[in-house]
Amino acid sequence: MSESRATPGPAPLRYGYGTNGLTDLRLDDALALLADLGYDGVGLTLDHMHLDPLAPGLAARTARVAHRLGELGLTVTVETGARYVLDPRRKHGPSLLDPDPDDRAARGRLLVTAVRTAADLGAHAVHCFSGTAPPGTDPDTAWKRLAQELRPVAEAAETAGVPLAIEPEPGHLLATLDDFHRLRAAMGDPASLGLTLDIGHCQCLEPVSPAACVRAAAPWLRHVQIEDMRRGVHEHLPFGYGEIDFPPVLDALAATGYRGLTVVELPRHSHAGPELARTSLAFLRALDPEGAPPP
């Protein structure tokens, strides 16, 4: 083991699988599958088929999920990338950047609900993203809206003791690591604001390698998503179908001391979700610099 990884002493990477890639399964069946396969946890996307954040009885339903996670020995992170949870006609709409303040407030309320749900589940982070700037919106206005609308969410996260992890997303206002630092500075560097790093997105559009992105992001890393991807093409691919060299990425993650979940993110592959969950974990465990062999 190298000296850099001996200080402070890396733990084995902890893997999860995103429920947005298991939408053909009931949530309880998805959780049981992941536990049986040997996953450490789950990236739980709040959506109509899996812990609907807008349906009645959320607190009771959340308590049942928390109990089930405990029975199965799974940890959890809460993700908020459901495509049509707020508006059945607008993908990821409304967003924090919309011109209508009521629309922005709807997204903000959803994120605060996600924070509270994450706290009730004992999640290690709650994920979010900026959204795309609406047509005709100048960049300065978009950035001001994003900082303004995220402040109460960050405050709720601080109160709940759950880190808020915003994800650079290709095509969104906040698309890169540099954009994350712009937002962090605009908000006054709140302690609760961290980063979701999607390894595929690093391959897609960052100027440095995914492993270098991990090292650069380490101080703010609160959540990690992982899949294969090709340069310049925002398409989440199963491992081995893209261009990413994964051993340096996993080595870099282990060296950071990151203790959260590294969640496989294949939202367009639910038709093959159970098999991809199996093969994905086998792939990662075989390469993990500190991990155990697949079960």
Side-chain angles (χ1 to χ4, degrees), residues 31-43:
L31 297 179
L33 168 74
L34 298 180
D36 287 347
L37 289 174
Y39 278 93
D40 302 291
V42 57

Side-chain angles (χ1 to χ4, degrees), residues 124-127 162-168 174 176-185 188-198 212-225 253 256-261:
H124 74 78
V126 60
H127 150 279
V162 179
L164 182 65
I166 193 163
E167 178 185 6
L174 196 155
T176 66
L177 288 174
D178 285 348
D179 292 336
F180 165 71
H181 291 299
R182 176 173 179 170
L183 174 66
R184 190 172 59 84
D189 196 15
S192 59
L193 181 65
L195 178 69
T196 293
L197 189 70
D198 187 302
C213 288
V214 169
R215 290 188 289 270
W220 301 277
L221 206 54
R222 303 294 179 266
H223 181 40
V224 175
Q225 297 170 348
L253 277 171
T256 69
Y258 170 68
R259 297 296 190 264
L261 289 172

